[in-house]
Amino acid sequence: MVASQETLDKLEDVGLNMYERKIYSALLGRGVSTAGELSEMTNVPRSRAYDVLESLADKGFAVIKSSKPMEYVVIPPRQAIENIKKQHRQDLEEQLEKLD
């Protein structure tokens, strides 16, 4: 699945870099996939695909399934956005506490 430029732009607006945007949009099309499959689909180097998928999991856009080979499960966009909001709120609260 190749995402439209509009979709990629919106993903950039929520803080995803180019590799994250490419892999997330491909994962949206598949639902569950391996790093190797996503790397081939997106032309993201395989060695980087693992880091990118871990970053997406940290940001709340994917879940890592412990299987062999490791699989990654997409988080639907609405839930991913809620995860980002929650993360930003927590970061802001921590910064405000430091300022107090």
Side-chain angles (χ1 to χ4, degrees):
M1 171 185 165
V2 176
S4 70
Q5 189 59 47
E6 181 183 6
T7 300
L8 293 174
D9 290 344
K10 289 183 183 199
L11 290 171
E12 182 178 22
D13 291 342
V14 297
L16 299 186
N17 67 37
M18 179 53 79
Y19 282 169
E20 290 170 332
R21 295 189 308 259
K22 285 181 173 184
I23 287 187
Y24 181 68
S25 63
L27 191 54
L28 274 172
R30 296 184 57 99
V32 177
S33 195
T34 66
E37 293 167 339
L38 293 167
S39 171
E40 287 178 23
M41 290 175 63
T42 60
N43 293 322
V44 170
R46 187 184 208 114
S47 59
R48 284 293 327 250
Y50 291 97
D51 295 336
V52 170
L53 284 157
E54 190 170 319
S55 174
L56 287 171
D58 289 344
K59 292 178 179 180
F61 284 82
V63 174
I64 302 171
K65 244 173 110 173
S66 65
S67 59
K68 289 222 176 194
M70 272 205 291
E71 292 183 316
Y72 302 85
V73 181
V74 72
I75 300 292
R78 286 180 199 246
Q79 182 60 48
I81 296 301
E82 288 303 314
N83 292 343
I84 287 283
K85 285 180 186 179
K86 183 179 177 183
Q87 212 170 24
H88 282 299
R89 281 188 188 109
Q90 287 174 345
D91 292 345
L92 183 57
E93 286 175 14
E94 287 174 14
Q95 289 177 349
L96 289 171
E97 284 178 21
K98 288 178 185 177
L99 289 173
D100 287 338

